[in-house]
């Protein structure tokens, strides 16, 4: 995590918006770094991943950090609402598990479907934070799909922030932070 300006910025945004009373969702637990960060800043975290390896690595990390306010769920983030219906925010760190199987990666259609399902459920001041990687083919597709979708959502209900490192050659990740600024019914 050190010297990673994008992940540090993601954590800065999260620490600004999360309170110790909030329920948070980690949609892609991976090695558990975001899960631990969220657990340290919120009341409770529901963390999802489709791989046993992710659950094993995250379990080790939360034990090492004496963290108990987390439930690890082996399921796709498409099914988040089957487990939790009220939360302040959801964090996605897209792509594949570092040091894992590069073929098991988040996919455009599933990621978009999940985000389209979650946005209406957010309350005012709720948010979705997404770290997007474009260094691999699936990631480019996913990034383009998200870009097209976020262009189309209601600008009065959602503010879409994008933070990137535009002049780096090595295709670093970038952040989308979608903040719900009013309830849909208002
Ligand atoms: C870049 S890693 C996440 C890194 C993690 N946030 C961390 O702090 O270590 C992406 C993870 O997304 C998981 N993933 C892929 N498709 C998924 C899905 N449909 N639902 C949940 N997790 C998924 C992969 O198994 C992988 O572990």
């Amino acid at each position: 995590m050190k010297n990673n300006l994008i992940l540090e910025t993601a954590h800065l945004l999260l620490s600004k918006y999360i309170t110790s009373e909030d329920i948070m969702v980690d949609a892609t637990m991976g090695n558990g770094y975001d899960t631990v960060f969220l657990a340290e800043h919120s009341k409770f975290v529901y963390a999802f991943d489709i791989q046993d390896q992710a659950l094993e690595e995250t379990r080790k990390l939360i034990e090492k950090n004496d963290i108990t306010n987390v439930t690890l769920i082996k399921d796709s983030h498409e099914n988040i609402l089957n487990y939790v219906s009220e939360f302040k925010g959801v964090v996605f760190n897209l792509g594949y598990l570092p040091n894992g199987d590069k073929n098991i990666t988040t996919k455009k259609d599933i990621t978009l479907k999940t985000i389209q399902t979650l946005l209406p459920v957010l309350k005012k001041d709720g948010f979705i934070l997404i770290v997007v990687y474009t260094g691999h083919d699936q990631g480019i597709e996913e990034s383009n799909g998200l870009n097209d979708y976020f262009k189309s959502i209601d600008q009065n209900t959602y503010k879409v922030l994008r933070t990137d490192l535009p002049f780096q050659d090595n295709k670093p990740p970038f952040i989308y932070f979608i903040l719900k600024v009013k309830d849909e019914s208002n």
Side-chain angles (χ1 to χ4, degrees):
M1 287 288 141
K2 288 213 175 77
N3 295 325
N4 188 326
L5 202 46
I6 288 296
L7 292 181
E8 283 171 17
T9 305
H11 285 184
L12 257 181
L13 270 168
L14 292 170
S15 52
K16 158 114 181 79
Y17 282 90
I18 301 172
T19 75
S20 55
E21 295 307 305
D22 290 330
I23 309 287
M24 288 295 302
V25 176
D26 184 351
T28 55
M29 78 178 82
N31 288 319
Y33 294 108
D34 292 323
T35 307
V36 166
F37 181 87
L38 293 172
E40 287 171 344
H41 290 79
S42 66
K43 185 172 173 190
F44 201 85
V45 181
Y46 293 85
F48 293 79
D49 207 293
I50 49 175
Q51 290 193 68
D52 286 324
Q53 190 184 339
L55 275 87
E56 282 157 24
E57 293 303 322
T58 302
R59 187 161 291 121
K60 279 189 227 159
L61 199 64
I62 61 176
E63 278 170 14
K64 191 170 150 206
N65 286 277
D66 291 327
I67 282 168
T68 52
N69 56 335
V70 173
T71 291
L72 306 184
I73 299 165
K74 190 184 171 207
D75 200 348
S76 171
H77 51 59
E78 291 156 278
N79 300 320
I80 286 171
L81 297 180
N82 293 347
Y83 300 87
V84 52
S85 53
E86 286 202 19
F87 38 81
K88 176 70 173 281
V90 183
V91 174
F92 291 79
N93 192 325
L94 301 178
Y96 48 81
L97 187 63
N99 308 319
D101 182 346
K102 293 193 173 171
N103 294 313
I104 307 177
T105 181
T106 53
K107 301 215 165 60
K108 179 186 112 176
D109 290 347
I110 300 175
T111 302
L112 273 173
K113 181 179 154 207
T114 302
I115 289 168
Q116 286 164 0
T117 310
L118 295 177
L119 282 177
V121 178
L122 291 177
K123 306 230 174 309
K124 180 176 174 291
D125 299 326
F127 62 85
I128 295 181
L129 182 143
I130 313 166
V131 178
V132 187
Y133 296 78
T134 55
H136 61 118
D137 289 348
Q138 292 277 354
I140 295 170
E141 251 190 63
E142 209 171 20
S143 166
N144 291 338
L146 288 169
N147 187 67
D148 290 345
Y149 174 59
F150 290 144
K151 252 195 256 175
S152 75
I153 61 177
D154 178 23
Q155 298 190 1
N156 293 318
T157 307
Y158 302 102
K159 299 292 169 204
V160 181
L161 171 78
R162 181 179 157 148
T163 304
D164 61 2
L165 291 166
F167 308 118
Q168 293 297 120
D169 290 331
N170 60 344
K171 300 198 178 135
F174 65 89
I175 299 168
Y176 277 121
F177 182 78
I178 302 97
L179 181 65
K180 191 162 189 172
V181 290
K182 70 180 186 72
D183 287 321
E184 324 252 334
S185 50
N186 295 339

